[in-house]
Amino acid sequence: MSKLVDRIKSQVNYWFFREYRFRRIVRRHLDRFYNDTDPEPPARKTIVYMADGRRLHGGLADRLRGIVSAYSICKDQDWQFRINFTSPFRLERYLVPASYDWLLKVGELSFNRKWSHAVFQDTRGDVGEREKRWQRKTALKQFALPFRQIHVYTAFYHAEDQFGQLFNELFKPAPDLQNALDEVVERCGADYISVTTRFCELLGDFKEPVRGREVLPADDAERQIESLLAEIQRLHDQKQVRILVTSDSRKFLERVKNLDYCVVIPGEISHIDNGEPNDDADFKTFLDFMAISKASESYFLLGPGMYNGNFAKRASAAGRHPYIIKKL
């Protein structure tokens, strides 16, 4: 009986509550930014991905999967797609249009409530096919509302099977990022693998804006680090190639730098949803992402209490190469 009740609750959530909550967030938090005075936008139906600091938008991987998912619908429906990614930096500082021009033109973005409307879309733990179908159906319904511009705040991931193709249609590195990426690839060699770890706050050296982890006692932290270093050594023994290592922990990367077959990209480490721009950390985030995408394989090491993040997964999808999670 309890399983049946849970199933009914889940279905009611799908049918009613989630979309209601999306609309409620728009009413409570986003409608106030619209007015009756902004100029009329261009007539063509346009979907604008929004990362303007008016909501928490998630990390880079969450933002990119939302962008790609919104773009996939626009591509299918022949709607114009634009990106308003301005918080805590402008996206075009690091990624610029590839084969599709997503840059907003001067005067194109309008907050006139007669012509423009905000929609909100967040996600849940379920990553199955039903969830993706629901996301796509919901997004299509919201995007089809009778407005010229739909401003979408989204972390939907219903297009993740197409992520690599769509990402590469939208983006290529800006010149400064491309130059730095070329240098990293030269250090790594023609064939390299990547290894990523995500500690959140386990080692006490990273500020996580949403989901934290309790800081480990010193002895437990050392055992965790040693276990991960041993796994990196095993991968090197097996693959016999250089290893690019990325992480959200400066302490861990300092230890990795002692391994002569590993490459660590220097720079500060920060989560982009912490609200304050940090040029060094933001540049490193994008450089890490693009360098992972150029590897031949990517590994994610998941030890006890660590967070199973999406950063390396999306980067490997952008590079269209295998992504392997190793649980320790």
Side-chain angles (χ1 to χ4, degrees):
M1 178 62 76
S2 62
K3 289 184 179 180
L4 177 61
V5 171
D6 288 342
R7 229 180 288 153
I8 292 172
K9 286 181 179 178
S10 175
Q11 195 59 51
V12 168
N13 185 43
Y14 267 103
W15 282 344
F16 302 110
F17 182 70
R18 289 181 72 189
E19 288 190 69
Y20 163 75
R21 190 172 62 82
F22 291 173
R23 293 191 297 271
R24 185 178 64 189
I25 287 172
V26 170
R27 289 195 306 271
R28 290 181 177 179
H29 302 288
L30 298 173
D31 276 350
R32 68 177 183 269
F33 297 110
Y34 291 78
N35 58 62
D36 299 313
T37 57
D38 264 20
E40 179 180 328
R44 186 180 176 188
K45 179 84 170 185
T46 303
I47 309 303
V48 185
Y49 170 84
M50 304 291 280
D52 55 3
R54 290 170 176 164
R55 300 289 300 167
L56 284 176
H57 304 289
L60 180 60
D62 290 337
R63 297 183 190 207
L64 290 175
R65 73 182 185 181
I67 289 170
V68 162
S69 292
Y71 171 62
S72 73
I73 291 180
C74 294
K75 188 175 178 181
D76 289 347
Q77 300 296 320
D78 195 28
W79 292 332
Q80 189 165 251
F81 180 66
R82 295 289 188 258
I83 298 174
N84 184 44
F85 188 136
T86 60
S87 177
F89 48 78
R90 301 192 72 87
L91 179 61
E92 54 267 34
R93 290 180 63 183
Y94 306 108
L95 297 178
V96 296
S99 61
Y100 185 91
D101 185 6
W102 44 263
L103 286 171
L104 281 162
K105 311 304 181 285
V106 175
E108 198 169 38
L109 185 65
S110 174
F111 288 88
N112 189 312
R113 62 172 56 91
K114 178 180 178 181
W115 305 103
S116 302
H117 181 68
V119 301
F120 177 84
Q121 303 164 349
D122 67 1
T123 60
R124 50 183 284 167
D126 179 7
V127 295
E129 290 305 312
R130 182 179 77 156
E131 171 69 10
K132 292 176 187 175
R133 288 193 300 271
W134 183 88
Q135 286 186 11
R136 188 169 185 85
K137 179 180 177 182
T138 300
L140 185 57
K141 180 167 63 175
Q142 290 182 320
F143 290 1
L145 290 170
F147 295 90
R148 290 186 185 178
Q149 283 188 13
I150 298 295
H151 302 162
V152 57
Y153 295 78
T154 182
F156 273 4
Y157 52 83
H158 53 80
E160 65 180 357
D161 292 343
Q162 304 168 269
F163 185 90
Q165 173 197 334
L166 300 178
F167 176 89
N168 288 288
E169 288 179 16
L170 290 170
F171 302 120
K172 63 182 180 181
D176 287 349
L177 182 62
Q178 183 64 61
N179 291 337
L181 178 61
D182 291 342
E183 292 178 5
V184 172
V185 171
E186 185 176 357
R187 286 177 61 199
C188 291
D191 182 27
Y192 66 94
I193 65 173
S194 74
V195 167
T196 298
T197 63
R198 186 80 159 86
F199 292 92
C200 291
E201 294 172 338
L202 284 181
L203 301 186
D205 60 350
F206 184 79
K207 180 184 177 184
E208 178 64 35
V210 179
R211 63 181 68 78
R213 298 286 191 276
E214 290 186 9
V215 178
L216 289 172
D219 289 347
D220 292 343
E222 179 61 24
R223 280 191 290 270
Q224 184 90 299
I225 291 170
E226 289 291 342
S227 174
L228 294 164
L229 293 176
E231 185 59 36
I232 292 173
Q233 179 67 60
R234 281 191 287 271
L235 280 171
H236 180 256
D237 293 343
Q238 177 187 355
K239 301 291 182 177
Q240 291 297 306
V241 294
R242 293 183 74 77
I243 302 177
L244 170 74
V245 181
T246 67
S247 179
D248 60 355
S249 169
R250 200 174 298 107
K251 290 180 181 178
F252 180 69
L253 291 180
E254 286 298 321
R255 297 285 292 275
V256 170
K257 283 164 63 175
N258 296 324
L259 303 174
D260 59 7
Y261 54 82
C262 288
V263 173
V264 172
I265 298 171
E268 294 185 42
I269 300 170
S270 179
H271 194 289
I272 69 172
D273 225 6
N274 280 330
E276 294 296 326
N278 181 326
D279 291 346
D280 186 58
D282 297 335
F283 190 87
K284 175 176 165 55
T285 298
F286 281 90
L287 185 54
D288 281 355
F289 186 91
M290 294 307 303
I292 292 170
S293 78
K294 299 299 181 183
S296 59
E297 292 181 328
S298 292
Y299 292 83
F300 188 85
L301 304 187
L302 187 61
M306 295 171 67
Y307 176 61
N308 187 0
N310 285 303
F311 184 84
K313 180 179 180 181
R314 302 296 167 206
S316 64
R320 293 184 249 195
H321 63 249
Y323 174 77
I324 302 101
I325 298 176
K326 283 186 156 301
K327 294 184 178 181
L328 280 63

